Amino acid sequence: MSKMTNIAKLSLNSKTITDEVNGIAETLETQTDAIKQINNGVELNRIIDGHNQQ
C-alpha cells in the first residue's frame, strides 16, 4: 500500500476513535446529570422525612 493510503486509513481510524470517545463523553455527561438529579431527590426526601419525624 502506498503511504497516502496508509495515511488516509489512519486519518479515518482517528476520526472514528474521536467520534466514539465524544459519544462516550456525552453519555457520561448525561449519566452524571441523571445521578445529580437522583441525589438531589434523595436529599430532598431526607429533609422532608427529617422534618416529618419532628
Side-chain angles (χ1 to χ4, degrees):
M1 282 189 204
S2 71
K3 285 185 180 183
M4 287 303 290
T5 302
N6 286 338
I7 291 171
K9 284 185 177 183
L10 179 60
S11 176
L12 183 58
N13 287 341
S14 294
K15 183 180 180 335
T16 300
I17 292 168
T18 299
D19 291 346
E20 290 292 326
V21 170
N22 285 336
I24 292 168
E26 289 174 7
T27 299
L28 290 173
E29 183 178 4
T30 300
Q31 290 176 344
T32 299
D33 289 342
I35 290 168
K36 286 178 183 177
Q37 290 176 4
I38 291 167
N39 287 342
N40 288 340
V42 168
E43 186 60 27
L44 183 58
N45 285 339
R46 286 182 183 158
I47 292 168
I48 291 170
D49 287 345
H51 180 46
N52 287 338
Q53 291 176 2
Q54 294 178 358

